Amino acid sequence: MRIALCQLNSIAGDIEGNTRKIIDSLDRVGEDRADLVVFSELFIQGYPPRDLLENRWFIDQTEKAIHELCAVSRKYPNTGILTGAGLPGDAGIGKKLSNAALLIYNGSVVFRQDKSLLPTYDVFDEDRYFDPASSVHICEFKGEKLGVTICEDAWNSEKMWHKRKYDQCPVELLAKQGATLMINISGSPYFLGKQQIRYSIMQGHARKNKVPFIFLNQIGGNDELIFDGSSLYFDAQGELLVQLPSFEEEIRLIDTGNSFTPKEPENLDTLGGLHDALLCGLRDYVHKCGFEKVLVGLSGGIDSAVTCALAVAALGGENVAGVTMPSRYSSEGSVADSKELAENLGIEFSTIPIENPFAAFLEVLEAPFAGTQPGVAEENLQARVRGNILMALSNKFGKLLLATGNKSELAVGYCTLYGDMNGGLSVISDLPKTTVYRLARYINRERETIPIAIIDKIPSAELAPDQKDQDTLPPYEILDHVLQLLIEEHYSRKEIIDRGFNADMVDWIIRAIKRSEYKRRQAAPGLKVTPKAFGSGRRFPVAARYQV
C-alpha cells in the first residue's frame, strides 16, 4: 500500500485552515496515486482544541468540514483520507463526543474508530470532553486489514508505566483480530526524554504483535505544548524503516510493499533537540497569536541572554528588540554585556534608565513606609518599574513581551509578580537554571553569541548592593536536584533528606514552593519541555495546608 504520511502543523480551532491543509496535501500527493493519506489526531480541529469542543457551533463547523472532505475525495477516487476529529458519538449519555479517526473514501466516511484510552493526567484532560470507544475493529482497505488507534491507545505499556495503566490494550486487540498494518495517529507532545520512550513503545508493539506499525505525529507549538513530529514506520520485526524529521513539516510517501534498509533512530533526546523544541514552540506561539515581533528585557544575566538568543534563532534578529533598564544597583558590566549581546545578535537595542521612576516611587511611598527598614518591597519596586516600561513598549509597538524567568526561580518564587514575571510567553520557565547554562553553551557551540562574561558571572538580581542569588538560594546544582525530586519524581521530604540533603535546606525549598503557588497561578504561559512543568499539567491548590 502506498501511504502518504502527512506530518503537519495544525492550529487549534482553525477548522477552515486545517481542512485546507488536508486538501492541499491531497493535491501534492495526487499525482503519486497514494492509496492512503494519513493525518494526525484531531487534525481538523487542531490539537488540543480544549473547551472549544463544548460549543455546538464548533462541532457543526467540524461536521461541515468533513462533508467538504468527502466531496473533495471524489476527485481522488483511489485515495483514502485518514484523519482525526472530535465528533458526536452514539451514546445518549456521558460527554456525547468521541475522539475519532475517520477514513474518508470516494465521497463518504467508510470507517470510524473512536479512541479507547482517554488520558487524564499531566496536561491531558480528555475525559473532560470525550467518551471512550465501546469496541475496536479492524478496517479492511485496499488489501490490508488496518488496525487504527489514536495516540494513548498505543501507550498502555509497561515501558511507559512500569505496570499497565488501563485494563485493555487496543493494539493487542486489533492484532488478535488479524490486523496486517497498524496505524497510530497522534498528538504526542514533546519533553526531553519523551522521544526515546515513544520509540521504545511503538517498536515494542511491532515486535510483540509481528505487524508493521506506523506512528504519525503532529508537529508545532500550540500554547505551552510543543509537538516534535518524529513520525515512525517499523516493519513486523520492529526494525525502523522510516523516521520523519523532528520539528519540521513533511509529507513522506512510503510503499509498504517495498523493501527498506533498516536505519538507526536520529536525534533522540539531545540538547540540540531541546533547543529546537524551544524554537518551534516560541515561533508558533508568536505567529499563531498574531504577532511578528517580540521584546526582551536584557539584564546582562544568563536567563535574558538565552531567551533573546532563542528569539533571534526562531524569528530573526529583525523581529527582536532588546531593552536594558539600569538602576542605581546595576553594574557597568551588565549594561555593557547586554549591549554586546545585542550587537552579536543584530537586534534593535535601547537603554532606558529607571532611576527617575524608581526615585519617584520611593518618594511617594516615603510616608507609608516610614519607620520600616528597606527590604524586599523596595527591591521589587525596581523590577515592577521595569515590568511597566516593558509592557508599555509592548502595548505601544505591538511586540509580544517575552518573560525570561527559569524553572528554578519560578519554583521558589525568586521572581517579582508584576515585574520580571510580566510577559505574554515565558520561554525558559521549564528549564532549571543548570540547564539554562548548558543551553547557553550549546548556543555558543559555533561562535560566541552569548558573551562569555554573561555565562561566567555570578547570578544576581542586582536589586540591592552586592546582591547575589546564592545569598538567598541554595547553590543551583543542589536546588535543581531537589526540585527535580520534588516536582518531577514526587519524592517526600523524608525521602529527599534520606538521600543526604540538608533537612533545613529541604524544608526551606518546600516552604518556598508552597508559598509561591499564587505567583505561578498568575505567570505567563510557559513552554513545556520536561515531564512535569508548572502550568496546566501541575494543579496544586493555592489556599492549602499539606505536608510533603
Side-chain angles (χ1 to χ4, degrees), residues 477-520:
E477 293 79 4
I478 297 174
L479 175 61
D480 287 352
H481 193 173
V482 174
L483 291 175
Q484 180 178 344
L485 294 175
L486 283 167
I487 297 167
E488 296 185 23
E489 300 184 34
H490 309 290
Y491 275 52
S492 70
R493 171 187 180 273
K494 182 179 184 302
E495 289 171 325
I496 295 172
I497 293 170
D498 287 346
R499 291 175 69 102
F501 292 96
N502 177 272
D504 290 340
M505 180 196 67
V506 172
D507 288 340
W508 181 90
I509 294 171
I510 291 172
R511 287 196 304 272
I513 292 172
K514 290 164 67 175
R515 70 171 175 255
S516 301
E517 199 65 50
Y518 79 101
K519 286 188 178 182
R520 291 189 291 271

Side-chain angles (χ1 to χ4, degrees), residues 394-468:
S394 172
N395 195 188
K396 187 70 172 177
F397 299 108
K399 297 174 181 177
L400 181 71
L401 176 60
L402 303 180
T404 62
N406 61 65
K407 189 173 189 176
S408 309
E409 295 170 349
L410 196 61
V412 298
Y414 195 69
C415 46
T416 304
L417 196 59
Y418 320 124
D420 59 311
M421 291 178 68
N422 281 2
L425 176 68
S426 191
V427 180
I428 61 169
S429 63
D430 201 26
L431 296 186
K433 187 78 167 189
T434 49
T435 304
V436 176
Y437 278 103
R438 291 173 56 217
L439 191 58
R441 295 185 180 95
Y442 177 84
I443 290 169
N444 279 5
R445 65 196 181 279
E446 295 179 355
R447 66 182 183 90
E448 188 179 324
T449 300
I450 298 174
I452 295 300
I454 291 178
I455 297 175
D456 289 345
K457 73 173 59 174
I458 297 173
S460 171
E462 293 193 338
L463 300 177
D466 300 319
Q467 188 179 49
K468 302 291 183 290

Side-chain angles (χ1 to χ4, degrees), residues 118 155 172 222 348 354 368 371 380 460 518 543:
L118 303 178
W155 284 79
E172 291 181 6
N222 282 337
E348 176 189 334
I354 67 164
N380 285 343
S460 171
Y518 79 101

Side-chain angles (χ1 to χ4, degrees), residues 182-481:
M182 298 288 187
I183 302 177
N184 180 265
I185 62 172
S186 278
S188 179
Y190 167 91
F191 60 73
L192 189 59
K194 178 78 168 285
Q195 288 181 320
Q196 182 59 60
I197 296 170
R198 188 196 293 141
Y199 180 90
S200 178
I201 288 173
M202 304 309 163
Q203 182 185 58
H205 285 308
R207 284 179 173 172
K208 181 177 182 178
N209 298 298
K210 302 295 188 291
V211 179
F213 195 102
I214 291 172
F215 163 79
L216 191 283
N217 194 25
Q218 75 177 50
I219 73 109
N222 282 337
D223 291 350
E224 76 274 26
L225 300 182
I226 305 167
F227 300 88
D228 56 295
S230 309
S231 301
L232 305 165
Y233 169 42
F234 296 96
D235 67 14
Q237 288 72 48
E239 296 289 344
L240 179 64
L241 304 182
V242 174
Q243 180 179 9
L244 271 61
S246 300
F247 310 110
E248 295 180 24
E249 286 193 315
E250 181 165 326
I251 297 177
R252 180 80 62 87
L253 193 67
I254 64 171
D255 190 334
T256 60
N258 288 348
S259 60
F260 292 80
T261 302
K263 58 180 294 182
E264 292 297 316
E266 299 174 358
N267 302 321
L268 295 181
D269 305 315
T270 63
L271 191 60
L274 173 64
H275 174 267
D276 292 348
L278 291 169
L279 298 188
C280 176
L282 169 56
R283 183 185 302 114
D284 271 8
Y285 188 92
V286 170
H287 290 158
K288 290 179 181 181
C289 289
F291 290 88
E292 295 181 1
K293 297 179 181 293
V294 297
L295 178 67
V296 184
L298 298 178
S299 67
I302 190 75
D303 297 323
S304 61
V306 167
T307 300
C308 195
L310 290 170
V312 170
L315 305 169
E318 70 278 9
N319 294 312
V320 180
V323 184
T324 187
M325 294 163 286
S327 76
R328 64 183 67 173
Y329 302 119
S330 299
S331 66
E332 291 184 9
S334 292
V335 177
D337 292 342
S338 296
K339 183 178 181 182
E340 183 180 352
L341 173 71
E343 291 172 348
N344 291 351
L345 293 171
I347 66 171
E348 176 189 334
F349 177 74
S350 58
T351 301
I352 303 177
I354 67 164
E355 180 58 32
N356 288 344
F358 177 45
F361 268 104
L362 292 176
E363 182 180 353
V364 168
L365 292 167
E366 184 176 1
F369 281 11
T372 66
Q373 291 296 315
V376 173
E378 286 82 0
E379 292 178 18
N380 285 343
L381 281 175
Q382 299 161 79
R384 292 188 172 118
V385 167
R386 291 183 174 118
N388 273 321
I389 290 171
L390 289 170
M391 286 307 301
L393 294 171
S394 172
N395 195 188
K396 187 70 172 177
F397 299 108
K399 297 174 181 177
L400 181 71
L401 176 60
L402 303 180
T404 62
N406 61 65
K407 189 173 189 176
S408 309
E409 295 170 349
L410 196 61
V412 298
Y414 195 69
C415 46
T416 304
L417 196 59
Y418 320 124
D420 59 311
M421 291 178 68
N422 281 2
L425 176 68
S426 191
V427 180
I428 61 169
S429 63
D430 201 26
L431 296 186
K433 187 78 167 189
T434 49
T435 304
V436 176
Y437 278 103
R438 291 173 56 217
L439 191 58
R441 295 185 180 95
Y442 177 84
I443 290 169
N444 279 5
R445 65 196 181 279
E446 295 179 355
R447 66 182 183 90
E448 188 179 324
T449 300
I450 298 174
I452 295 300
I454 291 178
I455 297 175
D456 289 345
K457 73 173 59 174
I458 297 173
S460 171
E462 293 193 338
L463 300 177
D466 300 319
Q467 188 179 49
K468 302 291 183 290
D469 287 7
Q470 291 183 8
D471 295 339
T472 303
L473 306 178
Y476 280 115
E477 293 79 4
I478 297 174
L479 175 61
D480 287 352
H481 193 173

Side-chain angles (χ1 to χ4, degrees), residues 70-102:
C70 287
V72 168
S73 71
R74 293 191 180 96
K75 292 172 53 181
Y76 306 94
N78 297 311
T79 302
I81 305 166
L82 182 63
T83 189
L87 292 168
D90 295 330
I93 59 174
K95 310 299 187 304
K96 301 183 181 179
L97 284 181
S98 298
N99 184 341
L102 307 173

